[in-house]
Amino acid sequence: GQNIDQPTEMTATEGAIVQINCTYQTSGFNGLFWYQQHAGEAPTFLSYNVLDGLEEKGRFSSFLSRSKGYSYLLLKELQMKDSASYLCAVERGFQKLVFGTGTRLLVSP
Amino acid sequence: GAGVSQTPSNKVTEKGKYVELRCDPISGHTALYWYRQSLGQGPEFLIYFQGTGAADDSGLPNDRFFAVRPEGSVSTLKIQRTERGDSAVYLCASSLYAPGTLSGNTIYFGEGSWLTVV
């Protein structure tokens, strides 16, 4: 079976730091993706973790703990354009991505 | 092309009608995926092609749904006898490498085809 949990909605202030958590229970885990999706647009790739630890890419970082079934996406120096949904997706088998329901992030001035 | 292209971008159809949704993947990408996304939900896997063959169609909800990729490039998702519950955004995605050859092979999504069944 598979179960991926993310908070439904989060709010933060411009310039702040926000952490979006994702927990998963799934068989056949190969890695974990984070995607950003603005309303009415395609999901766009942010990060991929296959090994435990932190992957940093500019203002965005992603962390994975395979033993705990846990990941987070860290967004620094928030900007208004970061208001979007953030999708956690587990890679199972032949790159079949199983998505969570997404976390809607609202950034206010 | 520069990105994954999907047509039509919007489709309104009557219940019971037949619908075709087209996907043109990024040039040179061997793998092609179809996902479906309902409002407020994450994308849900439907089917995956490696070349011309459907490598995994376990996500297709029933036999009204069918997809083809006859020449290993463009793909068409076909929905017969549409129902109101089929209303969703149908996302196509592609990736460069064959599965299993590279972890984290990035999957690129198109803008989607918004299907509304009335």
Side-chain angles (χ1 to χ4, degrees):
Chain A
Q2 54 217 23
N3 193 28
I4 301 171
D5 291 313
Q6 306 177 233
T8 303
E9 188 169 297
M10 299 181 70
T11 58
T13 306
E14 198 173 13
I17 299 173
V18 70
Q19 177 174 312
I20 303 174
N21 296 326
C22 172
T23 59
Y24 62 89
Q25 296 174 340
T26 182
S27 56
F29 178 87
N30 283 349
L32 190 140
F33 285 86
W34 283 95
Y35 279 82
Q36 180 191 59
Q37 187 176 28
H38 287 97
E41 297 183 9
T44 55
F45 171 79
L46 289 179
S47 68
Y48 175 76
N49 293 72
V50 62
L51 300 176
D52 286 0
L54 187 68
E55 294 280 343
E56 298 188 74
K57 192 183 293 186
R59 293 190 299 114
F60 293 3
S61 302
S62 57
F63 172 84
L64 175 67
S65 169
R66 294 177 70 129
S67 62
K68 295 181 179 178
Y70 168 68
S71 173
Y72 67 73
L73 181 69
L74 192 71
L75 293 77
K76 304 175 186 175
E77 301 168 17
L78 280 174
Q79 303 174 7
M80 297 296 291
K81 67 178 182 180
D82 297 330
S83 293
S85 287
Y86 291 86
L87 301 165
C88 170
V90 168
E91 181 184 22
R92 291 187 64 216
F94 294 120
Q95 296 177 331
K96 177 193 293 186
L97 294 186
V98 180
F99 284 86
T101 56
T103 298
R104 187 174 162 212
L105 175 65
L106 302 174
V107 180
S108 58
Chain B
V4 178
S5 176
Q6 293 188 244
T7 55
S9 54
N10 283 283
K11 176 71 176 178
V12 179
T13 191
E14 292 180 348
K15 179 176 177 294
K17 298 291 187 183
Y18 170 80
V19 166
E20 287 191 352
L21 306 175
R22 175 190 165 103
C23 173
D24 198 345
I26 294 172
S27 179
H29 279 197
T30 61
L32 185 146
Y33 314 77
W34 283 100
Y35 283 78
R36 177 169 71 174
Q37 187 173 23
S38 300
L39 194 63
Q41 301 295 315
E44 174 192 17
F45 172 80
L46 296 178
I47 187 170
Y48 151 69
F49 287 89
Q50 179 59 38
T52 60
D56 183 347
D57 64 357
S58 61
L60 294 177
N62 51 59
D63 61 6
R64 295 187 297 105
F65 288 75
F66 189 70
V68 295
R69 194 187 186 198
E71 297 178 357
S73 179
V74 171
S75 175
T76 304
L77 178 66
K78 307 181 181 190
I79 310 173
Q80 298 177 321
R81 305 182 304 280
T82 51
E83 300 177 356
R84 292 195 178 87
D86 299 335
S87 297
V89 178
Y90 289 82
L91 294 166
C92 180
S94 68
S95 62
L96 180 59
Y97 297 108
T101 58
L102 183 69
S103 292
N105 184 15
T106 302
I107 297 173
Y108 297 91
F109 285 85
E111 298 281 338
S113 290
W114 294 66
L115 175 66
T116 303
V117 182
V118 297

